[in-house]
Amino acid sequence: MATKERTIYFFEPVVLDQADNVQPIEEGFWDWVHDHVSALSEVERRADIFGRRHVGAARQEVAPALDYIYLGRLRPGADWPDVSDAAGEIASLASTGFAGSLLEPAYLLGVGGTNYVAVLRSSAGPSSTSIVSWLNQVCGFNRSGNRLELRPYARRDQLERLGRAQAASKIHLKVDPGVMIDAQPHDELGLALKAAQNAGAGGVSVELTVSFGNARPTDGAGEDLIAGVRELLLSDNAVPFKKASATVMVENAHGQLERDKIDFTMDRITVREQVGANEDEEPTPPVVLSAMAKAIEKFRAQL
């Protein structure tokens, strides 16, 4: 019987203050979350999100030896499935005497040595929006005036396509307030972003579009745009972007230049991984975490 494949998503946490300024996060963020949630009572780990009860916990597994966050989305009784016994008799779940609650789970597993987190959820488990809402409530970000966001990790190898391009005809970038305050860009593109943010004393988001329209850029101008985007996204001066895309001129198989749009924001890294030996195997925490650990190794190879 075929195994069940699940998609593991990868996110990076961003903390914003009331003015939407990005706040620094020290390494070990998910260790802190695990310690914080571990100290809370069961009531403190509950949250009502979009009208549904969510219950979380900080857990430890022995094999594999991993700390992780579990978040369950309560499934109301009206949504409970029916069951069948060994003889094929069908009945409601409640008729079996089951009197507990059904939870659709999500697992959050930090990527060691980074602040990235891997997330695996059941098909009806908590959405990424619900996970963020729960973290903000339970970890107290909303009470401090800050808010936490989880931003999908974008595929950086798209920069290779940018590097192979002969020119860029259009770029679109957006950064959150405060991102450029401590940045030290050398390229004109980065300097323009910094100047625009400084005009608002750092407290404004900046969205910048540079376009040649339908005209073909000159070699020098197009190469300058590529260099600027590379500095902002890949170099030691790289900044966290909210949106980033580029339309580049690439040479096709016939030696002709054609336009190719690269969307760094939308091209997210996910990993498909087999969970369990077959699709009927119970997805216990060790089974799920083993699959997530394999996915994390594949993810690391793309960092």
Side-chain angles (χ1 to χ4, degrees), residues 105-144:
Y107 290 76
L108 282 69
L109 180 60
V111 179
T114 78
N115 278 339
Y116 300 120
V117 64
V119 176
L120 185 151
R121 58 186 291 271
S122 66
S123 57
S127 66
S128 58
T129 302
S130 296
I131 292 171
V132 169
S133 295
W134 181 82
L135 287 168
N136 273 291
Q137 292 185 49
V138 170
C139 294
F141 288 104
N142 51 3
R143 294 190 296 274
S144 69

Side-chain angles (χ1 to χ4, degrees), residues 205-218:
S205 64
V206 177
E207 192 160 7
L208 176 66
T209 299
V210 179
S211 176
F212 287 92
N214 293 325
R216 179 174 295 183
T218 63

Side-chain angles (χ1 to χ4, degrees), residues 10 271-273 293-303:
F10 293 89
V271 176
R272 296 281 294 175
E273 195 63 52
K294 292 177 182 177
I296 285 175
E297 290 305 309
K298 295 177 182 177
F299 171 73
R300 285 184 182 280
Q302 301 181 66
L303 289 176

Side-chain angles (χ1 to χ4, degrees), residues 134-173:
W134 181 82
L135 287 168
N136 273 291
Q137 292 185 49
V138 170
C139 294
F141 288 104
N142 51 3
R143 294 190 296 274
S144 69
N146 294 333
R147 77 176 188 276
L148 173 72
E149 291 185 0
L150 293 181
R151 295 185 180 170
Y153 185 80
R155 188 180 301 278
R156 297 305 198 242
D157 61 10
Q158 293 296 347
L159 290 168
E160 296 179 7
R161 287 168 62 195
L162 188 68
R164 291 195 298 268
Q166 297 189 12
S169 62
K170 181 179 179 179
I171 60 157
H172 177 208
L173 299 168

Side-chain angles (χ1 to χ4, degrees), residues 2-301:
T3 57
K4 178 69 174 179
E5 279 197 340
R6 297 280 188 182
T7 300
I8 294 93
Y9 299 86
F10 293 89
F11 298 88
E12 51 186 333
V14 177
V15 175
L16 305 171
D17 64 16
Q18 290 178 321
D20 282 343
N21 294 309
V22 176
Q23 302 300 299
I25 301 178
E26 295 183 2
E27 188 176 306
F29 176 80
W30 294 105
D31 292 334
W32 173 84
V33 170
H34 191 274
D35 291 343
H36 177 83
V37 175
S38 295
L40 300 178
S41 67
E42 192 273 337
V43 172
E44 292 172 317
R45 291 185 272 108
R46 295 181 195 165
D48 289 323
I49 303 167
F50 304 128
R52 291 287 179 89
R53 176 66 54 85
H54 288 66
V55 180
R59 292 179 168 181
Q60 294 178 313
E61 194 57 48
V62 176
L66 295 169
D67 294 342
Y68 66 100
I69 298 295
Y70 172 94
L71 180 60
R73 176 176 177 268
L74 186 67
R75 191 168 179 176
D79 289 343
W80 284 9
D82 291 333
V83 295
S84 65
D85 60 20
E89 293 294 325
I90 298 174
S92 68
L93 179 61
S95 69
T96 67
F98 178 78
S101 299
L102 293 185
L103 295 173
E104 295 283 358
Y107 290 76
L108 282 69
L109 180 60
V111 179
T114 78
N115 278 339
Y116 300 120
V117 64
V119 176
L120 185 151
R121 58 186 291 271
S122 66
S123 57
S127 66
S128 58
T129 302
S130 296
I131 292 171
V132 169
S133 295
W134 181 82
L135 287 168
N136 273 291
Q137 292 185 49
V138 170
C139 294
F141 288 104
N142 51 3
R143 294 190 296 274
S144 69
N146 294 333
R147 77 176 188 276
L148 173 72
E149 291 185 0
L150 293 181
R151 295 185 180 170
Y153 185 80
R155 188 180 301 278
R156 297 305 198 242
D157 61 10
Q158 293 296 347
L159 290 168
E160 296 179 7
R161 287 168 62 195
L162 188 68
R164 291 195 298 268
Q166 297 189 12
S169 62
K170 181 179 179 179
I171 60 157
H172 177 208
L173 299 168
K174 183 176 182 179
V175 294
D176 285 317
V179 165
M180 299 302 299
I181 295 302
D182 296 324
Q184 299 295 327
H186 304 292
D187 188 271
E188 290 183 357
L189 185 60
L191 291 170
L193 279 172
K194 185 176 178 70
Q197 195 152 79
N198 286 343
V204 296
S205 64
V206 177
E207 192 160 7
L208 176 66
T209 299
V210 179
S211 176
F212 287 92
N214 293 325
R216 179 174 295 183
T218 63
D219 290 342
E223 290 172 2
D224 287 345
L225 280 183
I226 288 175
V229 175
R230 184 181 295 116
E231 181 190 40
L232 287 172
L233 302 184
L234 190 62
S235 73
D236 292 338
N237 293 314
V239 298
F241 62 86
K242 194 163 190 177
K243 295 180 181 178
S245 63
T247 301
V248 299
M249 307 299 295
V250 296
E251 189 174 281
N252 62 23
H254 304 289
Q256 300 170 326
L257 289 179
E258 59 184 17
R259 296 177 188 268
D260 177 25
K261 184 171 182 180
I262 307 172
D263 192 328
F264 301 95
T265 313
M266 296 302 295
D267 194 15
R268 309 303 193 184
I269 287 183
T270 62
V271 176
R272 296 281 294 175
E273 195 63 52
Q274 296 176 350
V275 178
N278 61 68
E279 62 182 10
D280 289 326
E281 182 177 354
E282 180 186 359
T284 61
V287 170
V288 171
L289 292 171
S290 294
M292 294 182 74
K294 292 177 182 177
I296 285 175
E297 290 305 309
K298 295 177 182 177
F299 171 73
R300 285 184 182 280

